[in-house]
Amino acid sequence: MLRLIAGFIGKKAIRLLTLLAAVSVISFALVNASPVDPVQAYIGADVMRVGPEQRAEIAAYWGLDRPFPERFLKWANALLHGDMGTSMIYREPVVKVIGERFLSSVWLMALAWTFSGVIGFAAGIAAAMRKDSWIDRLIKGFCYTLASTPAFWIGLLLMMLFSVWLGWLPVGLSVPAGVLADEVILLDRLRHLILPAVTLSVAGIAPIALHTRQKLADVLESDYILFARARGVSGLALIRRHGLRNIALPALTLQFASFGELFGGAVLAEQVFSYPGLGQATVEAGLRGDVPLLMGLVLCSTLFVFTGNTLADFLYRIVDPRMRAGKGMIR
Amino acid sequence: MTLLEVKDLSISFLHYAKGSRRDKTNVVDGLDLEVHEGEIVAVVGASGSGKSLLAHAVMGILPKNVLVSGDVSYKGERLDAARLKRYRGTEIALVPQSVAFLDPLMKVGEQLHAPADGREQAAERRTLFQKLKLSRQTEKLFPFQLSGGMARKVLFSTAAVARTRLIIADEPTPGMHESDVREALARFKSLAEKGCGVLLITHDIEAALRIADRIAVFYAGTAVEIARAEDFSGSGEQLRHPYTKALWRALPQNGFEPLKGAGQASGPAVELGCPFGSCCGSATGRCAEGKPEPRELRGGWVRCVHAS
């Protein structure tokens, strides 16, 4: 068993390294080919006061005048030594920017991830237990609607309803404007977190609910449920004893595999609510050609999504006794 | 004492035909059957003749789109929802045919222990495991880790506890090796000797004849004949129904005559006349007039107007 897990982790580590290398090269090339001029983006409104000589100086200072391979190798070399560079727009070390942003994003994503998981799973079970009843149709309809609705649009709707019309929750940002950092209390942070988190979780509910519903419906029609009923197991005990056991693993796997969508959703949700997290930083870095920050974010999100998928794989292959015993199946 | 009494049981499936018209397909039709204490009654018939549905109907585990009519009684009381709840898994037990009827993610030991079981049953099962030569280790295995023989023993052990009065065994010997068949059948025989009623559902008429007291021959969803085991002898002169006779003579040691009508007749002919009529050598005009009603004949029952 331990050898199995060690092998699993070893193979995954090699895959991660090759993946990160490939992502680095491709992202760097893409940024290089992008029409955004970092110098122009940096100067912004001061465009009239900056002459061509000064521009050239700024470009030289950032090393933008060097050819692409040289710049990439320099960046990669620094990265291998633990230096991710300095963000052009925030003028702070990339590690620090990402660290701060990650902290606020991680709460948002964790909350949304838990919400969507718990609500989706519960809704899926409810729908499957009363399959073809009005509650099943309601949940199914709700899920189809959610699945075909863009998250940012839901975000805008929620903002209009709860912030603008009802005035219950703040319109955006992660803390109240005009308040000193020391005076911000936890409740303020939470109030700012609610709408982005709800927006982000709404997108994740539909897949998990529909998947759980289908899986449980299949389980309930299986021979082993028939036999359990013949042995006197019924109602909720049937779901507890045989249902949950057989749907928990697929649901968890799906939930961990959704880290990619979670991150993608966070970019949109944070943008809508001006929530200063990783997603918003990514948009900024992209629009203003901040190569070091963008590269840092790309690597960071790759790691994040990869972790989610690996956990999903791990659950699927090692926790399921059938897969664990069929060792040949672990690649 | 009569344990199980099935009277005029019909089972039909509802399904949507073209458009929104609902069609009904009769799968079991007007079935009568009795199982007494200490008796083994075998239900023998081809696949698709509705044998398994009979088992599921008695246990009350038919799917929702199924219509059931007729009476199922246990110990003289109608098996309604409340009584089913009381007896299912305690006095009435089902022995399914394959390991697919076990939860794939639940260890055997945990799974054997149904909610209705107490310490007594757990202890009984431990003794039973020893008797069946299953190691204690078996309890810690998942169903997929069981060999075919182990799986059948485990399935058997779900039912074989002292409080069980009626056992319904659904195909307990599918494609098994001869010695395994003998072993499996002996287990059911020993339960019957202790006073259990056993309803043995099988397509293997030879296996059934070895232990059963009475044989119900299934054709097109109904028992065309209920015969004593000793009636199956010689060239089948004691048998009452032409289908039973054909079935008996189709066995290798009895002439190996090809069996006609094994494909199960269905359609309007079945609705109107004798279901076996189109394949029967002695069919006459009377056979097409209506379904033959079951009648008692020489200590058994038969659904044939010509039988004597």
Side-chain angles (χ1 to χ4, degrees):
Chain A
M1 185 70 202
L2 271 176
R3 256 187 66 204
L4 203 70
I5 295 177
F8 181 82
I9 292 174
K11 276 169 197 164
K12 284 288 175 187
I14 294 171
R15 267 190 207 182
L16 176 62
L17 287 179
T18 48
L19 177 72
L20 284 177
V23 166
S24 301
V25 175
I26 293 169
S27 311
F28 211 96
L30 281 175
V31 175
N32 190 54
S34 114
V36 176
D37 177 5
V39 179
Q40 179 67 43
Y42 177 70
I43 298 164
D46 294 334
V47 64
M48 299 308 287
R49 301 216 302 257
V50 181
E53 296 85 7
Q54 263 178 304
R55 280 172 173 253
E57 254 176 69
I58 295 171
Y61 176 73
W62 281 340
L64 291 173
D65 51 347
R66 317 301 307 167
F68 170 72
E70 189 187 325
R71 276 161 53 209
F72 178 72
L73 287 177
K74 209 177 149 202
W75 174 81
N77 190 35
L79 180 72
L80 289 178
H81 288 89
D83 177 15
M84 295 182 86
T86 306
S87 160
M88 296 176 186
I89 47 179
Y90 296 102
R91 290 196 233 171
E92 277 182 339
V94 167
V95 178
K96 193 168 168 243
V97 178
I98 292 181
E100 278 168 10
R101 294 299 179 120
F102 185 73
L103 220 56
S104 48
S105 266
V106 87
W107 285 115
L108 175 64
M109 289 195 278
L111 211 59
W113 189 74
T114 315
F115 271 176
S116 62
V118 171
I119 296 173
F121 194 60
I125 290 175
M129 279 181 74
R130 296 271 172 273
K131 201 175 168 217
D132 298 326
S133 70
W134 64 269
I135 190 156
D136 178 31
R137 280 201 292 274
L138 186 80
I139 290 171
K140 242 174 20 186
F142 188 66
C143 285
Y144 289 143
T145 314
L146 284 185
S148 47
T149 313
F152 70 90
W153 186 73
I154 293 179
L156 287 173
L157 278 189
L158 289 174
M159 189 199 279
M160 272 164 68
L161 184 64
F162 291 104
S163 307
V164 181
W165 290 344
L166 296 172
W168 292 352
L169 292 165
V171 178
L173 304 178
S174 69
V175 288
V179 177
L180 287 175
D182 307 342
E183 291 166 14
V184 176
I185 54 171
L186 188 67
L187 187 71
D188 281 327
R189 288 188 188 277
L190 277 179
R191 272 166 49 84
H192 282 79
L193 196 58
I194 293 175
L195 281 186
V198 169
T199 306
L200 191 52
S201 57
V202 154
I205 288 176
I208 191 89
L210 289 174
H211 187 272
T212 303
R213 172 188 176 274
Q214 188 55 45
K215 185 76 197 167
L216 184 57
D218 289 348
V219 166
L220 287 178
E221 279 172 17
S222 69
D223 285 342
Y224 56 87
I225 287 289
L226 209 63
F227 184 47
R229 283 172 57 207
R231 297 188 68 207
V233 190
S234 62
L236 276 176
L238 200 63
I239 302 285
R240 227 185 20 245
R241 212 172 129 94
H242 301 292
L244 292 183
R245 186 184 299 264
N246 280 282
I247 57 169
L249 213 51
L252 267 179
T253 306
L254 189 72
Q255 189 65 356
F256 276 108
S258 73
F259 271 26
E261 280 126 74
L262 191 66
F263 196 88
V267 172
L268 293 172
E270 286 178 8
Q271 197 60 21
V272 169
F273 292 98
S274 317
Y275 189 87
L278 279 182
Q280 203 208 21
T282 312
V283 174
E284 285 288 296
L287 288 179
R288 296 174 62 180
D290 187 343
V291 182
L293 181 60
L294 193 60
M295 289 305 296
L297 285 165
V298 164
L299 291 184
C300 187
S301 59
T302 307
L303 196 65
F304 180 75
V305 175
F306 186 85
T307 307
N309 287 343
T310 305
L311 284 173
D313 251 18
F314 179 78
L315 283 175
Y316 179 55
R317 291 205 172 125
I318 303 217
V319 178
D320 189 325
R322 286 165 295 188
M323 292 301 227
R324 200 168 55 208
K327 283 172 190 152
M329 287 175 158
I330 292 168
R331 278 176 292 139
Chain B
M1 186 170 131
T2 309
L3 279 179
L4 178 72
E5 191 176 3
V6 177
K7 255 198 199 139
D8 199 27
L9 179 76
S10 293
I11 303 172
S12 45
F13 280 96
L14 278 181
H15 52 88
Y16 287 93
K18 234 179 207 170
S20 60
R21 198 165 54 91
R22 291 236 261 187
D23 258 3
K24 226 173 76 172
T25 312
N26 276 348
V27 195
V28 173
D29 196 12
L31 174 73
D32 296 314
L33 197 72
E34 276 180 14
V35 180
H36 303 276
E37 261 181 350
E39 184 189 38
I40 300 181
V41 176
V43 171
V44 176
S47 323
S49 55
K51 299 178 314 242
S52 284
L53 284 174
L54 165 66
H56 292 182
V58 174
M59 300 304 297
I61 51 172
L62 287 169
K64 276 181 194 147
N65 62 330
V66 163
L67 286 180
V68 184
S69 67
D71 274 327
V72 179
S73 315
Y74 175 70
K75 286 183 175 168
E77 297 172 319
R78 209 184 121 89
L79 258 188
D80 52 19
R83 291 206 182 92
L84 258 180
K85 205 171 171 173
R86 175 144 39 104
Y87 294 130
R88 195 157 57 184
T90 56
E91 291 196 16
I92 308 179
L94 176 74
V95 178
Q97 52 175 304
S98 78
V99 71
F101 286 80
L102 291 176
D103 187 329
L105 293 184
M106 203 171 191
K107 287 185 181 163
V108 166
E110 196 186 344
Q111 192 153 193
L112 282 176
H113 193 83
D117 290 352
R119 213 175 271 164
E120 199 182 321
Q121 280 73 30
E124 253 184 90
R125 223 158 253 145
R126 220 162 291 137
T127 331
L128 189 63
F129 261 47
Q130 283 170 5
K131 247 189 247 168
L132 294 172
K133 296 192 184 71
L134 287 172
S135 68
R136 287 294 308 265
Q137 197 58 33
T138 314
E139 294 188 12
K140 297 199 178 70
L141 295 178
F142 286 97
F144 71 92
Q145 292 168 313
L146 299 175
S147 71
M150 282 160 89
R152 271 185 297 275
K153 287 177 185 173
V154 166
L155 290 172
F156 176 78
S157 75
T158 59
V161 284
R163 64 174 178 210
T164 309
R165 304 310 310 148
L166 176 66
I167 290 188
I168 299 173
D170 191 2
E171 296 279 9
T173 60
M176 272 162 60
H177 191 265
E178 168 59 32
S179 61
D180 294 340
V181 172
R182 204 178 308 136
E183 197 185 322
L185 292 176
R187 278 185 226 131
F188 287 107
K189 186 77 191 172
S190 73
L191 285 180
E193 278 159 5
K194 284 182 201 148
C196 266
V198 178
L199 185 65
L200 179 73
I201 294 173
T202 180
H203 63 269
D204 185 351
I205 191 165
E206 289 182 277
L209 280 172
R210 270 191 242 165
I211 59 163
D213 300 299
R214 289 189 299 137
I215 315 269
V217 179
F218 240 56
Y219 186 79
T222 195
V224 290
E225 172 168 357
I226 298 175
R228 290 167 305 187
E230 53 269 28
D231 294 341
F232 290 83
S233 63
S235 55
E237 299 89 356
Q238 294 294 309
L239 297 172
R240 299 156 189 83
H241 198 280
Y243 177 67
T244 320
K245 287 181 187 170
L247 209 57
W248 176 243
R249 287 184 199 131
L251 291 178
Q253 63 272 35
N254 300 336
F256 221 172
E257 285 173 32
L259 183 63
K260 280 182 199 161
Q264 305 288 329
S266 64
V270 174
E271 301 293 317
L272 292 173
C274 173
F276 192 57
S278 55
C279 312
C280 184
S282 47
T284 59
R286 268 175 73 201
C287 297
E289 278 166 18
K291 256 185 200 167
E293 285 303 309
R295 58 192 173 95
E296 210 167 349
L297 186 68
R298 288 185 274 116
W301 290 84
V302 66
R303 274 175 182 270
C304 177
V305 290
H306 300 299
S308 58

